[in-house]
Amino acid sequence: MCPNFLPDIMDERSSKLILVPILAVLFVMIGYQYICPAGSNSYSDLDDDGPPKLPSKFNFTERDLDRHVEFNIKGDDVIVFLHIQKTGGTTFGRHLVRNIRLEQPCDCKPGQKKCTCHRPGKEESWLFSRFSTGWSCGLHADWTELTNCVPVVMDKKEAQRNKRNFYYITMLRDPVSRYLSEWKHVQRGATWKTALHMCDGRSPTQDELPTCYSGDDWSGVTLKEFMNCQSNLANNRQVRMLADLSLVGCYNMSSMNESQRNHILLSSAMSNLKNMAFYGLTEFQRKTQYLFERTFSLRFISAFTQINSTRAANVDLSEAVRRRIEELNFLDVQLYEYAKDLFLQRFQYTRQREHQEVRLKRREERRCRYWCSDCFHSCDIINRWRGQP
């Protein structure tokens, strides 16, 4: 609090001395209000977005929910994007190279798919993704491939003695929508036949992973034909892409019984997903943006947009066909239920913590304003004693 000033002991010099710290405080407060204005929040719409808050079906700990990492873009940290087909990964991948506010933005030249994403002042990449390093570990490399390949590839490209810190991220999608989207993509002639599917040092044999079609592609395939191929990697793709396939003998289906294999795959995928630095959900674009920004302390320039009018959404399904797709993707259905629960719990945890921090800041602001109002009152006494208006 400012001291009481007695007119009979105040002179011109002492009044100037006391005004110096008062003006300094005011300067700091004005600067603070300009940089961090009270109540400013571009995510205010998120509180009313999405389903109501429900208790978690899983026993998540605070450590599971708190995913903030000290990402050092100038140091040895690398974000590795695991891109699962038809999960909105292409859109998210473009956000990573074109939409993050950085000291040294990625260099994206017109007409080129890849961008150069170097650390400030260095010739080293901070991002390992399709749009920065290309398919360096194979087309749509999965968790098994990336964790074995990324360190080796980066060591070859960049001479670095320090150990890198790899932060894995990915995107997931509702299994039925994702499956239908992949079917429509394949129907138009797309293939991923150049994918390596490396596991334990080799790719699967033709007997281990038979192709679903003859010829160059599967153009014009009907949904029924797509569902009837037992070796179709679209089935439970998200679990396969996130699990450690070495635990089940890779693509050798005879290494253990199907029930045991499925249990191990699902458990591994859940564990790897939970331990990733970040993952987003296609169905929650704004929440995905919010959690990414809070996880890595990076900010996007433009807001993410939710696009619900997709090819998959326009497919007219009977209830029987929907149930069949869910049966074919029963592991993905369980994984997505787990992922959605954890995602929304993380959002709620992060949002509540942010609200608490805002309340504390406002409390400190009120204290500071009260203190300054006392100072203004004292200054008013000084001015009246000096005969100033």
Side-chain angles (χ1 to χ4, degrees):
M1 306 295 289
C2 293
N4 293 323
F5 297 99
L6 300 176
D8 56 340
I9 61 173
M10 274 303 296
D11 57 16
E12 186 76 16
R13 183 177 179 183
S14 60
S15 64
K16 289 183 178 179
L17 289 175
I18 196 65
L19 283 175
V20 170
I22 293 174
L23 292 174
V25 170
L26 290 175
F27 178 81
V28 171
M29 286 189 64
I30 292 170
Y32 174 79
Q33 291 292 326
Y34 179 78
I35 297 171
C36 301
S40 66
N41 189 349
S42 60
Y43 285 100
S44 57
D45 60 309
L46 290 182
D47 292 326
D48 298 323
D49 177 34
K53 295 180 180 179
L54 298 174
S56 174
K57 295 175 62 177
F58 303 91
N59 295 321
F60 297 124
T61 65
E62 184 173 351
R63 184 177 179 181
D64 298 331
L65 303 181
D66 186 0
R67 302 312 292 167
H68 178 74
V69 297
E70 297 296 335
F71 182 71
N72 185 4
I73 196 171
K74 297 181 179 180
D76 304 312
D77 296 349
V78 180
I79 293 176
V80 182
F81 180 37
L82 193 164
H83 184 173
I84 302 174
Q85 291 94 318
K86 313 313 295 179
T87 60
T90 298
T91 299
F92 185 75
R94 290 197 179 106
H95 280 306
L96 293 175
V97 297
R98 297 178 182 272
N99 194 26
I100 297 182
R101 185 175 286 108
L102 298 171
E103 176 184 335
Q104 181 176 323
C106 295
D107 183 13
C108 300
K109 291 181 170 54
Q112 294 185 3
K113 290 184 178 181
K114 287 196 300 181
C115 303
T116 301
C117 297
H118 284 161
R119 307 183 193 279
K122 297 182 181 179
E123 297 294 315
E124 299 174 0
S125 297
W126 60 268
L127 175 65
F128 192 101
S129 75
R130 166 189 178 182
F131 290 117
S132 58
T133 52
W135 301 113
S136 300
C137 289
L139 180 62
H140 284 288
D142 55 37
W143 187 92
T144 307
E145 293 175 291
L146 286 177
T147 52
N148 286 281
C149 168
V150 171
V152 177
V153 168
M154 295 205 75
D155 283 344
K156 288 181 178 178
K157 289 185 176 181
E158 302 169 1
Q160 178 177 318
R161 295 180 180 179
N162 298 332
K163 184 179 179 181
R164 297 180 184 86
N165 302 311
F166 296 108
Y167 295 101
Y168 284 81
I169 65 173
T170 194
M171 289 287 292
L172 295 182
R173 186 179 181 182
D174 169 75
V176 174
S177 297
R178 198 215 64 79
Y179 188 84
L180 290 172
S181 182
E182 181 164 342
W183 162 57
K184 298 296 286 185
H185 196 59
V186 170
Q187 189 182 56
R188 296 192 302 273
T191 71
W192 295 288
K193 59 186 176 182
T194 58
L196 300 176
H197 303 304
M198 291 291 293
C199 181
D200 286 350
R202 68 177 182 88
S203 295
T205 64
Q206 178 65 26
D207 290 336
E208 291 173 332
L209 189 60
T211 55
C212 289
Y213 57 89
S214 57
D216 294 333
D217 56 44
W218 211 2
S219 298
V221 59
T222 65
L223 181 56
K224 183 178 180 180
E225 292 170 337
F226 194 74
M227 293 189 295
N228 285 342
C229 179
Q230 294 184 353
S231 61
N232 191 347
L233 289 180
N235 301 338
N236 295 310
R237 183 180 287 279
Q238 295 179 103
V239 165
R240 183 187 62 79
M241 292 283 284
L242 292 174
D244 182 355
L245 300 181
S246 298
L247 299 175
V248 294
C250 299
Y251 294 87
N252 181 7
M253 300 299 176
S254 62
S255 61
M256 61 184 67
N257 65 60
E258 184 177 0
S259 177
Q260 183 183 10
R261 178 184 177 87
N262 289 337
H263 175 74
I264 294 174
L265 285 174
L266 180 59
S267 298
S268 177
M270 285 180 172
S271 177
N272 289 338
L273 183 70
K274 182 180 70 175
N275 293 322
M276 280 185 170
F278 164 84
Y279 70 88
L281 299 182
T282 309
E283 291 75 19
F284 298 95
Q285 289 293 318
R286 288 283 283 155
K287 285 183 171 67
T288 293
Q289 177 181 358
Y290 174 85
L291 284 178
F292 180 91
E293 291 184 342
R294 269 58 183 179
T295 299
F296 290 101
S297 296
L298 297 171
R299 293 293 183 267
F300 290 100
I301 300 169
S302 302
F304 288 16
T305 56
Q306 189 72 51
I307 301 175
N308 295 318
S309 180
T310 62
R311 290 186 177 90
N314 293 327
V315 177
D316 188 17
L317 289 182
S318 67
E319 189 58 33
V321 172
R322 176 174 289 277
R323 285 199 302 269
R324 177 58 180 157
I325 294 175
E326 290 175 345
E327 291 171 0
L328 290 170
N329 293 274
F330 74 104
L331 294 179
D332 272 12
V333 169
Q334 295 176 76
L335 175 67
Y336 187 78
E337 181 184 20
Y338 175 87
K340 183 178 178 180
D341 194 322
L342 178 55
F343 178 86
L344 293 177
Q345 291 294 324
R346 283 180 176 173
F347 171 77
Q348 291 171 15
Y349 173 86
T350 307
R351 197 78 171 133
Q352 288 169 2
R353 187 176 62 181
E354 189 172 76
H355 285 327
Q356 290 173 355
E357 292 173 353
V358 169
R359 283 194 294 269
L360 287 174
K361 286 181 180 179
R362 286 176 178 171
R363 189 180 304 166
E364 291 301 317
E365 285 178 9
R366 286 195 295 269
R367 288 177 181 174
C368 188
R369 286 169 181 166
Y370 177 77
W371 179 80
C372 286
S373 67
D374 255 14
C375 291
F376 284 133
H377 179 65
S378 299
C379 292
D380 184 56
I381 293 174
I382 295 172
N383 288 333
R384 279 191 277 117
W385 169 70
R386 295 176 58 190
Q388 296 180 2

